[in-house]
Amino acid sequence: KGKVQGEVKFITFGGDGGTYDIGFQSLSGAMERGHDLTYVCYDNEAYMNTGIQRSSATPRYANATTTPIGAESTGKTQNKKDLTAILAAHEIPYAAQTTFIGNFKDFHEKARKAIYTPGACFVNILETTLNSPPMSMLRTGINTWPAACKMAVETCVWPLYEVENGQWRLNYKPKNKLPVEEFMRLQGRFKHCFKPGNEDLIVQAQKYVDDKWEALLNRCNA
């Protein structure tokens, strides 16, 4: 109606349930249409507000209320959806993933780029605020979550990268890539993976991370 003068940049915040799953249809549409907005996803890897159900952001083998472990189940059976890559495939000007703990410079630079780049931009943040993932999700002390976020980067479970105008760029490469079990060991939702007889769960988790990491390196080198 002409009541607002000048350019307006919309910033939207959502959790992984509302972004990866429930709101994906409208998010995909907004990205495809190229609206001038920045969408920020706080990814804490489950539906935290409604009972800690699994989302498509929940990692494989995680113990959640809708993927409980037991005699017939080893937790969630599907791998985590690679939403950042999916949004980048919309050919938007900017897509990135980051985390807050231990990587504030990376977080700040990507937030700045997303906000000041014209068009539809997306930033996926592995959630790190101490009050976000309840202890019942991690099944461990809540202060472990910042360490888990940092370890997610060091094990390449959650690589730091950005896609700017179609160019894939790796922002951080660990000097010594740590095994994925170092990330899993910090969280009680993966406790069952370390029980005798479940060794193959860690092997499969490691293979998935390794394959995704190599594919990301190839994309960035290309």
Side-chain angles (χ1 to χ4, degrees):
K1 296 181 179 180
K3 294 181 178 180
V4 178
Q5 301 299 318
E7 297 181 359
V8 177
K9 183 78 173 189
F10 291 93
I11 304 179
T12 303
F13 297 90
D16 56 278
T19 305
Y20 282 69
D21 299 334
I22 299 170
F24 181 73
Q25 178 185 26
S26 56
L27 173 61
S28 176
M31 295 288 117
E32 187 274 331
R33 289 188 296 271
H35 292 298
D36 191 13
L37 64 86
T38 293
Y39 191 103
V40 180
C41 175
Y42 286 131
D43 183 357
N44 51 26
E45 299 191 326
Y47 288 93
M48 296 300 181
N49 293 333
T50 57
I52 318 173
Q53 300 92 347
R54 56 87 84 192
S55 76
S56 60
T58 305
R60 190 179 181 187
Y61 304 129
N63 180 12
T65 55
T66 49
T67 55
I69 60 170
E72 302 297 328
S73 172
T74 55
K76 186 188 173 192
T77 58
Q78 301 83 14
N79 287 309
K80 177 171 180 154
K81 182 190 291 183
D82 191 352
L83 186 62
T84 308
I86 292 171
L87 268 295
H90 286 63
E91 298 183 356
I92 58 179
Y94 188 74
Q97 66 181 39
T98 185
T99 185
F100 195 77
I101 294 295
N103 298 281
F104 184 75
K105 184 174 183 292
D106 184 80
F107 171 87
H108 176 270
E109 290 179 349
K110 287 173 178 174
R112 178 182 56 80
K113 282 185 178 181
I115 292 171
Y116 291 104
T117 297
C121 300
F122 176 76
V123 180
N124 205 359
I125 305 172
L126 190 64
E127 181 57 85
T128 57
T129 55
L130 295 181
N131 63 348
S132 175
M135 284 185 286
S136 52
M137 174 58 185
L138 297 178
R139 292 173 171 84
T140 186
I142 198 166
N143 290 329
T144 304
W145 187 240
C149 286
K150 187 174 182 178
M151 193 57 66
V153 175
E154 297 299 327
T155 58
C156 299
V157 167
W158 187 259
L160 305 182
Y161 72 91
E162 59 188 348
V163 185
E164 190 170 7
N165 294 317
Q167 181 179 354
W168 289 68
R169 184 180 302 110
L170 188 67
N171 305 115
Y172 176 76
K173 186 176 183 180
K175 292 182 179 178
N176 298 298
K177 180 172 171 286
L178 298 177
V180 68
E181 63 183 273
E182 297 300 322
F183 167 73
M184 299 171 68
R185 198 183 299 277
L186 292 170
Q187 304 161 71
R189 58 181 175 163
F190 297 117
K191 184 178 180 180
H192 59 287
C193 296
F194 295 91
K195 291 184 177 180
N198 286 343
E199 294 82 1
D200 188 58
L201 301 184
I202 298 177
V203 172
Q204 292 301 316
Q206 185 66 64
K207 183 180 185 305
Y208 175 75
V209 170
D210 290 344
D211 289 347
K212 294 288 289 185
W213 176 244
E214 288 302 318
L216 176 61
L217 291 179
N218 289 334
R219 274 176 159 173
C220 292
N221 291 335

